[in-house]
Short mmCIF file of all heavy atoms in Angstrom, two decimals:
data_model
loop_
_atom_site.label_atom_id
_atom_site.label_comp_id
_atom_site.label_asym_id
_atom_site.label_seq_id
_atom_site.Cartn_x
_atom_site.Cartn_y
_atom_site.Cartn_z
N LEU H 62 94.12 125.55 110.17
CA LEU H 62 93.61 125.70 111.62
C LEU H 62 94.64 126.32 112.55
O LEU H 62 94.33 126.87 113.47
CB LEU H 62 93.17 124.28 112.12
CG LEU H 62 92.00 123.57 111.54
CD1 LEU H 62 91.63 122.28 112.16
CD2 LEU H 62 90.73 124.56 111.45
N CYS H 69 96.78 129.01 121.70
CA CYS H 69 98.01 129.95 122.04
C CYS H 69 97.34 131.27 122.37
O CYS H 69 96.39 131.76 121.73
CB CYS H 69 98.84 130.02 120.89
SG CYS H 69 99.64 128.51 120.42
N THR H 78 97.84 140.26 116.59
CA THR H 78 98.08 138.97 116.01
C THR H 78 99.48 138.27 116.38
O THR H 78 99.61 137.14 116.11
CB THR H 78 98.11 138.97 114.49
OG1 THR H 78 99.16 139.78 114.02
CG2 THR H 78 96.76 139.59 113.93
N ASN H 82 105.97 137.72 117.30
CA ASN H 82 106.28 137.29 118.72
C ASN H 82 106.88 135.79 118.71
O ASN H 82 106.22 134.92 118.27
CB ASN H 82 105.01 137.33 119.52
CG ASN H 82 105.29 137.05 121.03
OD1 ASN H 82 105.78 136.12 121.38
ND2 ASN H 82 104.96 138.02 121.91
N LEU H 87 106.41 129.74 118.61
CA LEU H 87 106.73 128.58 118.83
C LEU H 87 105.56 127.73 119.45
O LEU H 87 105.51 126.53 119.21
CB LEU H 87 107.78 128.78 120.19
CG LEU H 87 109.24 129.19 119.70
CD1 LEU H 87 110.06 129.56 121.05
CD2 LEU H 87 109.88 128.23 118.78
N ALA H 105 91.47 108.73 110.31
CA ALA H 105 91.50 107.21 110.49
C ALA H 105 90.40 106.61 111.09
O ALA H 105 89.72 105.65 110.63
CB ALA H 105 92.73 107.04 111.31
N TYR H 146 88.51 130.26 119.89
CA TYR H 146 88.78 128.81 119.36
C TYR H 146 88.13 127.81 120.20
O TYR H 146 87.49 126.89 119.78
CB TYR H 146 90.21 128.65 119.38
CG TYR H 146 90.71 127.09 119.00
CD1 TYR H 146 90.76 126.81 117.62
CD2 TYR H 146 91.04 126.22 119.89
CE1 TYR H 146 91.15 125.46 117.32
CE2 TYR H 146 91.45 124.94 119.54
CZ TYR H 146 91.49 124.64 118.22
OH TYR H 146 91.83 123.28 118.00
N LEU H 148 85.35 128.16 122.10
CA LEU H 148 83.89 128.18 121.88
C LEU H 148 83.49 127.68 120.51
O LEU H 148 82.46 127.01 120.43
CB LEU H 148 83.41 129.60 122.01
CG LEU H 148 83.15 130.25 123.47
CD1 LEU H 148 82.68 131.79 123.44
CD2 LEU H 148 81.95 129.38 123.99
N VAL H 159 73.45 117.44 117.25
CA VAL H 159 72.15 117.86 116.57
C VAL H 159 72.13 117.21 115.35
O VAL H 159 70.84 116.75 114.91
CB VAL H 159 72.12 119.51 116.40
CG1 VAL H 159 70.98 119.88 115.59
CG2 VAL H 159 72.28 120.22 117.72
N LEU H 165 68.40 110.77 112.66
CA LEU H 165 67.51 109.74 113.21
C LEU H 165 66.01 110.02 112.85
O LEU H 165 65.28 109.12 112.57
CB LEU H 165 67.51 109.72 114.79
CG LEU H 165 68.90 109.12 115.26
CD1 LEU H 165 68.81 109.27 116.79
CD2 LEU H 165 69.00 107.69 114.88
N VAL H 271 107.28 120.21 96.21
CA VAL H 271 107.61 121.58 96.81
C VAL H 271 108.19 121.40 98.13
O VAL H 271 109.20 122.22 98.46
CB VAL H 271 106.43 122.46 96.85
CG1 VAL H 271 106.73 123.81 97.43
CG2 VAL H 271 105.77 122.65 95.43
N SER H 272 107.77 120.50 99.02
CA SER H 272 108.20 120.25 100.35
C SER H 272 109.62 119.85 100.34
O SER H 272 110.58 120.43 101.03
CB SER H 272 107.38 119.29 101.11
OG SER H 272 106.06 119.76 101.27
N ARG H 278 118.29 123.41 104.41
CA ARG H 278 118.44 124.71 105.09
C ARG H 278 119.16 125.82 104.40
O ARG H 278 118.63 127.00 104.51
CB ARG H 278 119.01 124.45 106.37
CG ARG H 278 118.26 123.49 107.47
CD ARG H 278 118.57 123.80 108.83
NE ARG H 278 117.92 124.77 109.48
CZ ARG H 278 117.97 125.07 110.68
NH1 ARG H 278 118.72 124.25 111.53
NH2 ARG H 278 117.41 126.08 111.22
N ILE H 307 98.62 114.82 121.29
CA ILE H 307 97.89 115.96 121.24
C ILE H 307 97.76 116.62 122.65
O ILE H 307 97.29 116.05 123.52
CB ILE H 307 96.40 115.76 120.74
CG1 ILE H 307 96.52 115.03 119.46
CG2 ILE H 307 95.65 117.15 120.58
CD1 ILE H 307 95.13 114.62 118.99
N LYS H 309 97.74 120.53 123.18
CA LYS H 309 97.20 121.79 123.39
C LYS H 309 95.67 121.84 122.92
O LYS H 309 95.10 122.81 123.38
CB LYS H 309 98.00 122.85 122.55
CG LYS H 309 99.31 123.20 123.03
CD LYS H 309 99.94 124.27 122.22
CE LYS H 309 101.27 124.58 122.78
NZ LYS H 309 101.19 125.22 124.28
N LEU H 311 93.44 118.99 122.77
CA LEU H 311 92.58 117.88 123.18
C LEU H 311 91.58 118.37 124.19
O LEU H 311 91.89 118.95 125.24
CB LEU H 311 93.48 116.77 123.75
CG LEU H 311 92.82 115.41 123.95
CD1 LEU H 311 92.31 114.89 122.65
CD2 LEU H 311 93.79 114.49 124.70
N ASN H 320 79.24 134.30 127.92
CA ASN H 320 79.89 135.42 127.06
C ASN H 320 79.81 135.15 125.60
O ASN H 320 80.47 135.95 124.83
CB ASN H 320 81.47 135.52 127.57
CG ASN H 320 81.53 136.03 128.92
OD1 ASN H 320 80.70 136.67 129.54
ND2 ASN H 320 82.55 135.43 129.60
N LEU H 333 76.16 123.51 110.90
CA LEU H 333 75.09 122.47 110.73
C LEU H 333 74.68 122.43 109.34
O LEU H 333 74.60 121.35 108.72
CB LEU H 333 74.08 122.82 111.65
CG LEU H 333 72.71 121.87 111.64
CD1 LEU H 333 73.20 120.38 112.09
CD2 LEU H 333 71.69 122.29 112.48
N SER H 376 81.43 115.40 116.26
CA SER H 376 81.61 115.73 117.65
C SER H 376 82.94 115.11 118.25
O SER H 376 83.61 115.76 118.99
CB SER H 376 80.45 115.07 118.45
OG SER H 376 79.24 115.77 118.10
N LEU H 380 86.65 117.14 119.89
CA LEU H 380 87.25 116.78 121.07
C LEU H 380 88.88 116.73 120.70
O LEU H 380 89.72 116.96 121.52
CB LEU H 380 86.84 115.42 121.56
CG LEU H 380 85.39 115.50 122.14
CD1 LEU H 380 85.07 114.02 122.51
CD2 LEU H 380 85.29 116.37 123.33
N ALA H 420 104.20 112.33 111.75
CA ALA H 420 103.80 113.82 111.85
C ALA H 420 104.91 114.63 111.57
O ALA H 420 104.70 115.78 111.18
CB ALA H 420 103.36 113.93 113.40
N ALA H 424 104.18 117.88 109.46
CA ALA H 424 104.28 119.22 110.14
C ALA H 424 105.29 120.05 109.39
O ALA H 424 105.30 121.25 109.57
CB ALA H 424 104.77 119.06 111.51
N ASP H 456 66.50 132.77 89.41
CA ASP H 456 67.47 131.78 90.03
C ASP H 456 69.01 132.28 89.76
O ASP H 456 69.67 132.05 90.69
CB ASP H 456 67.32 130.41 89.11
CG ASP H 456 66.19 129.72 89.34
OD1 ASP H 456 65.68 129.69 90.46
OD2 ASP H 456 65.67 129.09 88.39
N PRO H 523 62.49 108.56 107.88
CA PRO H 523 63.22 107.53 107.31
C PRO H 523 62.48 106.34 107.45
O PRO H 523 61.52 106.14 108.18
CB PRO H 523 64.42 107.63 108.27
CG PRO H 523 64.02 108.24 109.47
CD PRO H 523 62.95 109.30 109.06
N TRP H 537 64.38 97.87 112.47
CA TRP H 537 65.79 98.30 111.87
C TRP H 537 66.25 97.54 110.71
O TRP H 537 67.09 98.00 109.91
CB TRP H 537 66.88 98.08 112.93
CG TRP H 537 67.02 96.64 113.45
CD1 TRP H 537 67.70 95.71 112.86
CD2 TRP H 537 66.35 96.10 114.45
NE1 TRP H 537 67.76 94.49 113.50
CE2 TRP H 537 66.73 94.67 114.52
CE3 TRP H 537 65.42 96.44 115.38
CZ2 TRP H 537 66.24 93.79 115.42
CZ3 TRP H 537 65.03 95.59 116.45
CH2 TRP H 537 65.32 94.24 116.49
N LEU H 551 76.77 102.89 84.56
CA LEU H 551 77.23 104.29 84.70
C LEU H 551 78.40 104.41 83.55
O LEU H 551 79.33 103.81 83.45
CB LEU H 551 77.98 104.29 86.09
CG LEU H 551 77.02 104.19 87.20
CD1 LEU H 551 77.77 104.24 88.45
CD2 LEU H 551 76.00 105.38 87.22
N GLY H 565 75.70 121.59 95.57
CA GLY H 565 74.92 121.63 94.50
C GLY H 565 74.24 120.38 94.11
O GLY H 565 73.98 119.91 93.08
N LYS H 593 85.21 103.76 81.12
CA LYS H 593 84.98 102.61 81.77
C LYS H 593 83.52 102.68 82.20
O LYS H 593 82.96 103.60 82.73
CB LYS H 593 85.80 102.47 83.05
CG LYS H 593 85.52 101.28 83.89
CD LYS H 593 86.28 101.30 85.15
CE LYS H 593 86.01 100.01 86.00
NZ LYS H 593 86.81 100.09 87.36
N GLU H 596 78.89 98.66 86.21
CA GLU H 596 77.55 98.22 86.57
C GLU H 596 77.54 97.72 88.02
O GLU H 596 78.33 96.86 88.32
CB GLU H 596 77.09 97.13 85.53
CG GLU H 596 76.95 97.56 84.11
CD GLU H 596 76.21 96.59 83.27
OE1 GLU H 596 76.14 95.50 83.72
OE2 GLU H 596 75.73 96.94 82.20
#
Side-chain angles (χ1 to χ4, degrees):
L62 293 184
C69 298
T78 64
N82 187 300
L87 288 174
Y146 176 80
L148 275 178
V159 171
L165 290 175
V271 177
S272 299
R278 298 198 80 175
I307 305 174
K309 292 185 175 295
L311 189 64
N320 296 324
L333 180 64
S376 294
L380 294 175
D456 290 328
W537 59 89
L551 297 173
K593 178 181 177 182
E596 292 188 346

